[in-house]
Amino acid sequence: MDAELSRAIRDLIDEHDPATTPVADFLGARFDAGLAWVHFPEGLGGRSAPRSVQQEVNDAFAAAGAPTLDIGRHGIGLGMAAPTLLAHGSDEVRRRFLRPLWTGEEIWCQLFSEPGAGSDLAALGTRAVQEPDSGDWIVDGQKVWTSLAHEADWAILVTRTDPDVPKHRGMTYFVCDMHAPGVEVRPLRQATGEAEFNEVFLTGVRIPDAHRLGEVGDGWRVAQTTLMNERVAIGGHAEPREGGMIGVLARTWREHPELHTPALQDALLRLWVDAEAARLTSERLRQQLAAGQPGPEGSAAKLAFARLNQQISGLELELLGAEGLEYHDWTFRRPANPSMLEGSPGYRYLRAKGNSIEGGTSEILRGIIAERVLGLPQEIRVDKDVAWKDLPR
């Protein structure tokens, strides 16, 4: 980190005491100083600096006790919406949305999956039709598995705008106001009793053309920006050694020496090594990302994250026996900040099952890795050149 950047950080901290400045005010000042995403352009939270210095900037603010946003409520905005807005939004869109997203004044959700288009996202059918007079788009359809929809102010939304072309070519991407007339959010209750997710019904929702990201019909390419960043955000986040789920299992092992057997010890050590290898691989991935945009490698990080969480939570139950199966609370609730590291072993086991679905199913991610990382032949796709309207449903 160069001297100018270091001085800018010191000046900001001197002028806005992290201990007394309200969080939104401090983060707003950080954005205005170009110290939010330093690789973003000037005026949009950055200084057009190398992406590689971002971690040093974050570390300097952390050492000063500077506030940060709750990643549970703002992860979609920070990790998925922001890079998509930067890459594909107009100047007007970026100026309007990036600052309140960074300060936490506006919460974001992601309207992608549908009841008939989850793993095969390009099969989505939520329809957007442009009015010839106003230029606005009228949206009708249903989305599902939407985290934070019940709290969100804005959503990143992919729609079908041309049913007469193959599915990947007739999609368009928008920013949707979650408070607009015609947006209805309903909770989806999970096996844990919680409702982290929602289904969202869109009926005659009006979206101005100014809130379109990318060209009409180019929504699939724009969505790839979101999806690649999403997989890195889920599977490539920084962890200390024995952080995350493996740390919970290791602590349980140390607290219950009476439960040790050679077979369980062998299983634990294998998972510990796998978790450490995944952690170091994710660290290398983050270093590679410092020089460019996320690629298909993020799919491998997310795939490993899901597999390990499920295996670790399963071994925790095996270690604890009947005690691990106890789970007494299936009451409906909206978790404020859901975390698999909290709660009972039974909760972790149930919640981990969703890891191989959310953010791209493990089956789809294996296909991405095979084709784009390993260079293997593509799967045969019989619907590749078929118009979306002619696909069987």
Side-chain angles (χ1 to χ4, degrees), residues 1 20 30 44 73 85 87 116 140 155 184 187 192 205 215 220 235:
M1 186 163 57
T20 59
R30 181 172 168 181
L44 297 175
R73 298 182 76 230
L85 292 167
D140 293 276
E184 180 186 359
T192 60
V205 177
E215 299 299 323
W220 180 251

Side-chain angles (χ1 to χ4, degrees), residues 222-306:
V222 181
Q224 292 309 298
T225 300
T226 306
L227 293 172
M228 292 303 178
N229 280 281
E230 177 182 27
R231 288 158 191 166
V232 171
I234 293 175
H237 55 280
E239 290 279 11
R241 176 172 287 189
E242 279 198 12
M245 290 280 280
I246 194 63
V248 175
L249 179 60
R251 185 170 62 250
T252 300
W253 174 266
R254 295 181 179 114
E255 291 173 351
H256 295 276
E258 73 281 2
L259 302 177
H260 295 185
T261 68
L264 288 174
Q265 182 177 25
D266 180 71
L268 171 66
L269 290 175
R270 289 177 185 276
L271 286 177
W272 195 97
V273 171
D274 282 353
E276 181 63 7
R279 185 185 74 85
L280 294 174
T281 300
S282 293
E283 177 61 32
R284 183 174 63 182
L285 172 62
R286 287 190 298 278
Q287 293 172 2
Q288 291 171 339
L289 291 178
Q293 294 294 323
E297 299 86 356
S299 297
K302 195 272 173 180
L303 179 65
F305 168 83

Side-chain angles (χ1 to χ4, degrees), residues 94-113:
R94 293 189 290 181
R95 286 193 299 269
R96 162 61 185 86
F97 291 113
L98 285 175
R99 192 180 191 278
L101 184 158
W102 167 260
T103 61
E105 295 168 89
E106 295 178 343
I107 298 174
W108 287 71
C109 67
Q110 179 182 356
L111 298 176
F112 275 35
S113 294

Side-chain angles (χ1 to χ4, degrees), residues 69-96:
L69 292 179
D70 173 9
I71 201 67
R73 298 182 76 230
H74 299 282
I76 293 173
L78 294 171
M80 298 162 221
T84 308
L85 292 167
L86 177 67
H88 303 284
S90 65
D91 289 342
E92 177 187 354
V93 162
R94 293 189 290 181
R95 286 193 299 269
R96 162 61 185 86

